[in-house]
Amino acid sequence: MPTNATCIVFSLVLGTLAALATAKEPQQARNVRFAGPVERVAATSLTELSSSLERLAAIDPSNPPSDTGTRQTLSLFGREDLIAATSAYYKPNGCAPSKTAVDVVPEIERRARQTSIVIVTESHERSEHRGFSTVLATRLRPLGYNTLALEALSPSMPDTPAQYLPSFVQHPALKYFEDGDGHYLSEAGYGRLGRRAKKLGYHLLAYDFIDEHPAADATTEQRIAAREEGEARNLAAYVHDHPGAKLLIHVGYAHAAEVPGADGTQWMAARLKKKTGIDPLTISQTACSGGGGTVRLSALPADKPPRNL
């Protein structure tokens, strides 16, 4: 979680504890101090933070609903213990280990040297997936990877006035994300990923698609196709305008599929591959998942379209 959001949450908790302690022991003064550094929350972040807290407050922890929105909110605040029983992304799905036993990160490094685009998926319900992307960002930086494209970053229209651009654009030297920088960026894993990427000198790229003129009667399939095409077009334009750039792209779920799905859906990675002529290294953390703490390469199930890893 960004430092500014942590500051508010912990100040509420510690302030309450201090008040209780004072009530029990009125003669003894109690002081609460933060072990720095502490950043003040920006006024522009309060709306995002308060709405997230309101969603959290509406959830009964003894009987949380199992819908996607609830699971994502609980993950945002570190209560993944309340969603593990209902989320498919915490349950072992029977993927067998890869027949070739190799160390995961060195193997990714080896294959990343053969391309200039690496795409890694996440489940929005598992913060450890952001943790693995943080490891990849660290290990790929010495290989020349210099751009971190995040699905969660807020895109801006070309004519957006400078004062309304998100903080990561206006203040690139800021060491952390602010809540207004994008969806889910208040979550601790994203906060660590952002701070690490900024420290390593990555350029942060928002690439998600804004449909300025959505058709009211568009089908779900048409909306998906419009978004996938828009994302791929935005990324391809960046590649074209920045020769020599190497991209680490962090996406959710199926956006990293390099081949059409069983229903014929062309996802972002497949479209980007066509537009750029670059064969990306795609890494799925969602096709094979489970509750263990060991990171390994898995053999892809027969009912899944082929990917690189």
Side-chain angles (χ1 to χ4, degrees):
M1 185 177 291
T3 309
N4 55 341
T6 304
C7 177
I8 283 189
V9 172
F10 276 91
S11 67
L12 290 174
V13 175
L14 292 174
T16 302
L17 293 176
L20 290 174
T22 303
K24 292 180 180 179
E25 303 176 36
Q27 303 303 319
Q28 184 177 359
R30 295 295 181 95
N31 294 321
V32 176
R33 294 184 179 181
F34 291 106
V38 175
E39 302 287 349
R40 292 185 179 276
V41 65
T44 55
S45 298
L46 294 178
T47 301
E48 286 282 340
L49 182 60
S50 62
S51 62
S52 297
L53 289 170
E54 287 173 3
R55 291 196 300 272
L56 178 67
I59 298 172
D60 178 3
S62 64
N63 187 30
S66 60
D67 62 282
T68 298
T70 296
R71 294 198 299 264
Q72 291 179 3
T73 296
L74 289 171
S75 178
L76 174 71
F77 287 97
R79 292 309 309 269
E80 293 170 332
D81 59 306
L82 298 179
I83 64 176
T86 59
S87 171
Y89 295 100
Y90 288 82
K91 297 177 181 178
N93 57 11
C95 286
S98 172
K99 294 180 180 179
T100 305
V102 295
D103 292 332
V104 175
V105 176
E107 178 64 11
I108 290 173
E109 288 179 323
R110 184 185 70 80
R111 298 195 191 191
R113 288 186 173 94
Q114 302 169 19
T115 184
S116 59
I117 297 178
V118 173
I119 307 175
V120 58
T121 70
E122 69 150 301
S123 163
H124 302 321
E125 299 169 17
R126 292 196 73 159
S127 61
E128 64 191 296
H129 288 175
R130 271 79 79 187
F132 187 69
S133 288
T134 305
V135 172
L136 292 186
T138 303
R139 298 290 288 265
L140 296 182
R141 188 68 181 94
L143 304 184
Y145 284 81
N146 54 12
T147 301
L148 177 62
L150 296 175
E151 176 186 302
L153 285 174
S154 293
S156 302
M157 298 303 295
D159 57 350
T160 301
Q163 65 268 31
Y164 297 122
L165 292 172
S167 178
F168 77 92
V169 177
Q170 287 195 60
H171 310 292
L174 199 64
K175 296 181 180 180
Y176 54 88
F177 285 136
E178 289 194 339
D179 295 311
D181 280 338
H183 203 32
Y184 304 132
L185 295 185
S186 296
E187 188 268 326
Y190 259 130
R192 287 188 288 270
L193 174 57
R195 288 194 297 275
R196 185 63 179 156
K198 283 171 171 279
K199 186 174 182 179
L200 290 168
Y202 274 94
H203 170 71
L204 297 173
L205 177 62
Y207 69 90
D208 209 350
F209 174 63
I210 300 176
D211 192 349
E212 297 182 74
H213 307 289
D217 58 348
T219 64
T220 299
E221 291 76 15
Q222 290 171 330
R223 294 179 188 276
I224 290 175
R227 185 185 182 196
E228 301 306 305
E229 176 65 17
E231 289 182 343
R233 186 170 59 245
N234 291 339
L235 287 164
Y238 181 86
V239 170
H240 177 270
D241 293 341
H242 298 81
K246 289 191 171 186
L247 282 68
L248 172 59
I249 307 173
H250 180 92
V251 307
Y253 307 105
H255 295 295
E258 293 184 50
V259 296
D263 59 357
T265 301
Q266 292 272 349
W267 297 96
M268 180 275 288
R271 295 170 186 266
L272 181 61
K273 185 174 180 178
K274 282 184 180 180
K275 292 179 184 297
T276 62
I278 299 172
D279 185 10
L281 169 62
T282 53
I283 305 163
S284 175
Q285 297 188 85
T286 54
C288 293
S289 58
T294 301
V295 178
R296 72 180 188 189
L297 295 182
S298 298
L300 198 66
D303 63 340
K304 299 288 184 181
R307 307 168 192 249
N308 283 359
L309 281 176

